[in-house]
C-alpha cells in the first residue's frame, strides 16, 4: 500500500515538473521572441532576427532557395518551433534543478540560469553551426533577453509550486 502511494506521488511530481517546466519554457522562449520582435519592429525590420538566425543555421544550398517568400516563412516558422522546443526542455530542466541542488526558486537563480545555461546553448549552437553571431544581434541583447527569460521561467515555476 505504502509503496503504491509513494510511486503515485513520485509519478505526480514528475508529471507536474514536466508540465510546469514546459509551460515555463514556453513563457521564457515566448518572451525572447516578443523582445526581439519588438526590437525588429522598432527598427522597421519585422522578423529580421529569426530570419538572420535561421539563415545562420542553414547550409549554403538551402540559402540559395531563400528568394521564395514561402520558403522564408517556413524557415522562420521552423526556427521558431525549434526555439520554443529548446526552451521547453530548458524549462523542464529548470523545474528539476532545485530538487537536485536543494535551492528555492528565486528570480536571481532564474536570471543566473538564463545568463549561463540559455546563453551558453545559444552561443554554442551558433558556433557549432559555424555561423558566428548573426549581424544585427548584439551579445548584450542576447544576454539580457536570456536573463529575463530565465527569471520568467523561475517566477512561473515558483507560482506553480505555491498553488
Amino acid at each position: 500500500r505504502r509503496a503504491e502511494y509513494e510511486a503515485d506521488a513520485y509519478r505526480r511530481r514528475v508529471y507536474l515538473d514536466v508540465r510546469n517546466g514546459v509551460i515555463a519554457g514556453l513563457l521564457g522562449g515566448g518572451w525572447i521572441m516578443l523582445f526581439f520582435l519588438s526590437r525588429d519592429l522598432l527598427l522597421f525590420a519585422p522578423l529580421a532576427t529569426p530570419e538572420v538566425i535561421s539563415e545562420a543555421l542553414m547550409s549554403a544550398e538551402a540559402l540559395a532557395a531563400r528568394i521564395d517568400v514561402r520558403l522564408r516563412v517556413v524557415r522562420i516558422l521552423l526556427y521558431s518551433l525549434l526555439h520554443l522546443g529548446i526552451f521547453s526542455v530548458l524549462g523542464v530542466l529548470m523545474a528539476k534543478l532545485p530538487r537536485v541542488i536543494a535551492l528555492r526558486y528565486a528570480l536571481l537563480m532564474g536570471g543566473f540560469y538564463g545568463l549561463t545555461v540559455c546563453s551558453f546553448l545559444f552561443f554554442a549552437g551558433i558556433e557549432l553551426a559555424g555561423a558566428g553571431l548573426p549581424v544585427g544581434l548584439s551579445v548584450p541583447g542576447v544576454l539580457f533577453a536570456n536573463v529575463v527569460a530565465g527569471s520568467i521561467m523561475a517566477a512561473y515555476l515558483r507560482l506553480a509550486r505555491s498553488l
Side-chain angles (χ1 to χ4, degrees):
R1 253 313 171 186
R2 181 168 170 78
E4 260 182 54
Y5 174 76
E6 289 175 2
D8 285 343
Y10 176 77
R11 278 191 292 273
R12 178 156 172 72
R13 190 172 66 228
V14 168
Y15 166 77
L16 289 173
D17 282 347
V18 170
R19 185 193 75 185
N20 291 333
V22 167
I23 293 170
L26 291 173
L27 289 171
W31 147 257
I32 289 180
M33 293 170 84
L34 287 174
F35 174 77
F36 283 108
L37 176 63
S38 300
R39 176 190 162 275
D40 292 347
L41 288 173
L42 287 173
L43 296 173
F44 300 104
L47 300 177
T49 300
E51 183 173 11
V52 167
I53 295 173
S54 67
E55 279 182 8
L57 297 175
M58 295 189 73
S59 66
E61 301 85 36
L63 287 177
R66 74 180 185 174
I67 297 170
D68 188 351
V69 174
R70 290 173 296 191
L71 291 177
R72 176 180 174 249
V73 170
V74 168
R75 188 181 68 237
I76 291 171
L77 179 63
L78 288 175
Y79 169 73
S80 298
L81 291 174
L82 174 68
H83 172 81
L84 291 174
I86 289 170
F87 264 89
S88 294
V89 171
L90 289 171
V92 172
L93 292 175
M94 186 180 216
K96 289 297 199 182
L97 186 65
R99 289 195 201 287
V100 174
I101 60 175
L103 287 177
R104 298 202 62 127
Y105 289 112
L107 294 179
L108 184 61
M109 185 193 83
F112 183 73
Y113 183 83
L115 180 66
T116 56
V117 176
C118 300
S119 296
F120 172 78
L121 286 177
F122 174 78
F123 290 117
I126 291 295
E127 191 64 33
L128 288 174
L133 189 64
V135 176
L137 281 183
S138 68
V139 172
V142 171
L143 295 177
F144 170 76
N146 283 329
V147 166
V148 174
S151 297
I152 289 170
M153 290 191 293
Y156 173 79
L157 289 169
R158 182 163 189 137
L159 287 172
R161 290 274 165 101
S162 66
L163 297 177

